[in-house]
């Protein structure tokens, strides 16, 4: 069962396509986070999803929000994919070792397929999930939904 609004987001540390690691706890007290799980790099819907976030980085920044894309692909694959997509403004993270551990913590690992669901979590600066949605694998998440969830944070 995927985490829901009101749940505390589990901390994690994952390797980034940009090198080094990223910890969710590094954003606590500083930025909201959009945590976007996607099934696999180098697939059409995932590519469109991550490219859409890259295009909307100024809107995310104006909402004081960092975007993190997560899949089970190994870090070198994430680096090659980011280069192909032109993703430079946010981190694409590898949930490859231990395999799918973060997806499991968030309740979005598909055991039968060995990949994560396509799922988006909005996490506020205190580390609480304020909005989440699990999509059908072939469904493209709408950034407008995410911006609506972030607007609620801006009003609170």
């Amino acid at each position: 069962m995927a985490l829901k609004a009101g749940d505390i987001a589990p901390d994690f540390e994952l390797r980034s396509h940009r090198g080094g690691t990223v910890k969710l706890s590094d954003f606590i007290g500083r930025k909201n986070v959009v945590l976007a799980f996607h099934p696999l790099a180098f697939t059409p819907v995932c590519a469109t999803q991550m490219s859409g976030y890259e295009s909307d980085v100024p809107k995310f920044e104006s909402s004081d929000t960092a975007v993190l894309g997560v899949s089970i692909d190994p870090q070198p694959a994430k680096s090659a994919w980011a280069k192909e997509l032109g993703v430079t403004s946010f981190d694409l993270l590898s949930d490859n070792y231990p395999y799918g551990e973060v997806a499991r913590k968030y309740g979005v690992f598909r055991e039968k397929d060995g990949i994560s669901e396509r799922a988006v979590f909005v996490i506020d600066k205190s580390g609480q999930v304020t909005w989440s949605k699990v999509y059908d694998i072939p469904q493209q998440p709408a950034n407008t939904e995410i911006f609506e969830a972030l607007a609620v944070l801006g009003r609170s």
Side-chain angles (χ1 to χ4, degrees), residues 95-130:
D95 191 15
N96 188 261
Y97 185 80
Y99 195 82
E101 178 181 88
V102 176
R104 283 182 178 91
K105 287 181 181 181
Y106 281 76
V108 295
F109 190 76
R110 294 170 63 113
E111 293 290 341
K112 67 180 175 125
D113 300 320
I115 59 175
S116 74
E117 298 282 0
R118 186 176 312 282
V120 178
F121 298 87
V122 173
I123 301 165
D124 69 11
K125 292 177 186 178
S126 73
Q128 185 174 41
V129 175
T130 60

Side-chain angles (χ1 to χ4, degrees), residues 14-46:
L14 294 174
R15 292 180 67 202
S16 171
H17 82 281
R18 301 198 265 191
T21 61
V22 172
K23 288 194 264 186
L24 180 63
S25 56
D26 289 343
F27 297 96
I28 300 298
R30 294 186 26 238
K31 285 198 175 281
N32 303 309
V33 173
V34 170
L35 186 61
F37 287 90
H38 60 98
L40 291 166
F42 298 101
T43 57
V45 177
C46 296

Side-chain angles (χ1 to χ4, degrees), residues 25-71:
S25 56
D26 289 343
F27 297 96
I28 300 298
R30 294 186 26 238
K31 285 198 175 281
N32 303 309
V33 173
V34 170
L35 186 61
F37 287 90
H38 60 98
L40 291 166
F42 298 101
T43 57
V45 177
C46 296
T48 302
Q49 181 183 3
M50 295 303 126
S51 294
Y53 297 150
E54 180 71 23
S55 296
D56 280 342
V57 161
K59 290 181 186 176
F60 286 113
E61 288 176 348
S62 71
S63 298
D64 208 19
T65 300
V67 176
L68 303 174
V70 181
S71 72

